[in-house]
Amino acid sequence: MANAATEELIENFSLFDDWEERYAYLIDLGRKLPDLPEAERTPESKVEGCMSQVWLLSEVEPGHPPVIRYRADSDSQIVRGLIAVLMTAYSGETADRIIATDINDIFNRIGLDRHLSPNRRNGFYAMVQRISDTAAQAMKASS
């Protein structure tokens, strides 16, 4: 089940008639993301498996279940847009909700499943894996 912000994002994508408009919207979402400072673009924060450069950081707020906030950046405008989708779906959510989020459903409802190259799709799922791993580790640490 998607959070309210993700449902709104999906609805916004549905307002566009063709993929070119959706693609422009995705890029616009990426432009609105805050840049990561150069000091946070480290080998530890870099996501492997992405064609572009991607850095992903997480901050776990203690609790039962813990809440996790993510920040990420890329050198690609399209990937920044994908990051914006992921931040909408995951950042600020509890670890258990992050684990329960069906990103494939969100991905399909937006239409990204049909319009991303295999390399971008692999990178997208590399980011999702990093996010899921962080949530699983936070759940384990809180129990």
Side-chain angles (χ1 to χ4, degrees), residues 13 17-24 26 110-112 115-116:
F13 269 99
D17 293 329
D18 63 33
W19 178 245
E20 292 301 318
E21 292 173 332
R22 289 179 182 201
Y23 192 68
L26 185 68
I110 289 174
L112 294 173
H115 297 284
L116 284 183

Side-chain angles (χ1 to χ4, degrees), residues 101-113:
T101 297
D102 183 354
I103 200 64
N104 289 318
D105 178 59
I106 295 166
F107 197 66
N108 293 339
R109 290 171 64 196
I110 289 174
L112 294 173
D113 58 321

Side-chain angles (χ1 to χ4, degrees), residues 121-132:
R121 188 175 294 121
N122 290 341
F124 180 83
Y125 283 109
M127 290 185 283
V128 170
Q129 187 61 55
R130 171 81 71 92
I131 289 167
S132 297

Side-chain angles (χ1 to χ4, degrees), residues 63-99:
H64 296 287
V67 171
I68 306 173
R69 301 206 183 279
Y70 296 96
R71 295 181 298 118
D73 201 354
S74 176
D75 61 354
S76 162
Q77 289 299 322
I78 297 166
V79 175
R80 282 178 62 94
L82 294 174
I83 289 168
V85 171
L86 293 176
M87 296 302 102
T88 302
Y90 292 122
S91 191
E93 294 291 339
T94 60
D96 59 340
R97 182 147 176 126
I98 289 167
I99 292 167

Side-chain angles (χ1 to χ4, degrees), residues 2-15 25 88 109:
N3 62 34
T6 302
E7 288 296 339
E8 182 179 340
L9 184 69
I10 292 166
E11 187 177 315
N12 289 346
F13 269 99
S14 74
L15 298 174
Y25 180 60
T88 302
R109 290 171 64 196

